[in-house]
């Protein structure tokens, strides 16, 4: 089974992440940051990766460390669950429409982290949540998950819709990339012999 459990503790946060790549999108996420929980739920549901996240952090300062460190732990869990990556599709892409917003995501589980982020928000906050933290989460996920990740806002005027469409679009691309390719179930999707 392609499962992983990661615990990360620092002076700023304590985080546990459990994932199952072959799940059905079941989620149970509690980070103390309501809007972020909602986004993690979307990431799980639309990637079909079962996900349980428990996080406590210094939210009396702000939400930054909790969001970023959750991205770090989730990226590490993804690497562990993928193992040697034999048989995976490796690449994923998805253009997702949500009301006024369209977000396009493309990714490669290449072990070469790189984030291209062309997503602007019309407001600095969604409720009490800083919109700049959406990028911080995906930067941490990309870096620690070894993901080349490109996210582009094609359209969008509502910050909530833009953030949610980004999580859903990346989720759908990730679902595609972690799937096992039945034509190459025992082969590594690379001519290098290693990912």
């Amino acid at each position: 089974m392609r499962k992983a459990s990661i615990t990360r503790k620092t002076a700023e946060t304590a985080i546990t992440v459990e994932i199952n790549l072959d799940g059905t999108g079941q989620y149970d996420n509690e980070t103390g940051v309501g809007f972020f929980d909602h986004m993690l739920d979307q990431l799980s549901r639309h990637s079909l990766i079962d996900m349980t996240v428990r996080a406590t952090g210094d939210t009396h300062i702000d939400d930054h460390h909790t969001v970023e460190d959750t991205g770090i732990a989730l990226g590490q869990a993804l690497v562990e669950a993928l193992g040697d990556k034999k048989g995976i599709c490796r690449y994923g892409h998805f253009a997702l429409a949500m009301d006024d917003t369209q977000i396009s995501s493309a990714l490669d589980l290449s072990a070469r982290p790189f984030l291209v982020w062309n997503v602007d928000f019309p407001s600095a906050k969604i409720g009490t949540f800083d919109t700049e933290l959406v990028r911080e989460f995906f930067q941490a996920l990309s870096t620690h998950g070894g993901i080349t990740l490109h996210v582009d806002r094609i359209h969008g005027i509502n910050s909530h819709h833009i953030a949610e469409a980004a999580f859903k679009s990346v989720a759908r691309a990730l679902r595609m990339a972690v799937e096992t390719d039945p034509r190459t179930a025992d082969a590594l999707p690379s001519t290098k012999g290693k990912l």
Side-chain angles (χ1 to χ4, degrees), residues 21 23 32 56 78 99 104 112 114 142 163:
L21 300 184
T56 57
L78 186 62
D99 300 329
S104 176
R112 296 191 305 276
F114 197 93
S142 169

Side-chain angles (χ1 to χ4, degrees), residues 54-178:
R54 292 291 181 271
T56 57
D58 54 1
T59 53
H60 62 286
I61 297 172
D62 67 10
D63 300 334
H64 186 112
H65 297 139
T66 299
V67 172
E68 181 179 31
D69 287 8
T70 299
I72 290 171
L74 189 55
Q76 292 170 341
L78 186 62
V79 169
E80 183 177 305
L82 284 169
D84 64 9
K85 300 183 184 176
K86 281 187 179 176
I88 66 167
C89 290
R90 176 179 167 179
Y91 299 99
H93 59 90
F94 203 87
L96 187 132
M98 180 177 175
D99 300 329
D100 55 282
T101 299
Q102 183 184 158
I103 298 285
S104 176
S105 299
L107 60 83
D108 176 9
L109 301 176
S110 61
R112 296 191 305 276
F114 197 93
L115 177 66
V116 175
W117 183 257
N118 293 313
V119 180
D120 295 322
F121 290 91
S123 63
K125 289 188 177 287
I126 301 166
T128 61
F129 184 83
D130 294 327
T131 52
E132 67 181 10
L133 295 182
V134 178
R135 185 191 187 284
E136 291 301 318
F137 170 79
F138 284 115
Q139 180 68 70
L141 179 69
S142 169
T143 299
H144 293 271
I147 305 168
T148 300
L149 175 60
H150 294 234
V151 185
D152 296 285
R153 184 187 71 155
I154 310 303
H155 308 289
I157 58 174
N158 179 285
S159 291
H160 187 129
H161 294 164
I162 293 167
E164 188 166 339
F167 274 85
K168 288 178 175 178
S169 177
V170 171
R172 287 284 174 156
L174 191 57
R175 173 180 171 180
M176 186 183 298
V178 302

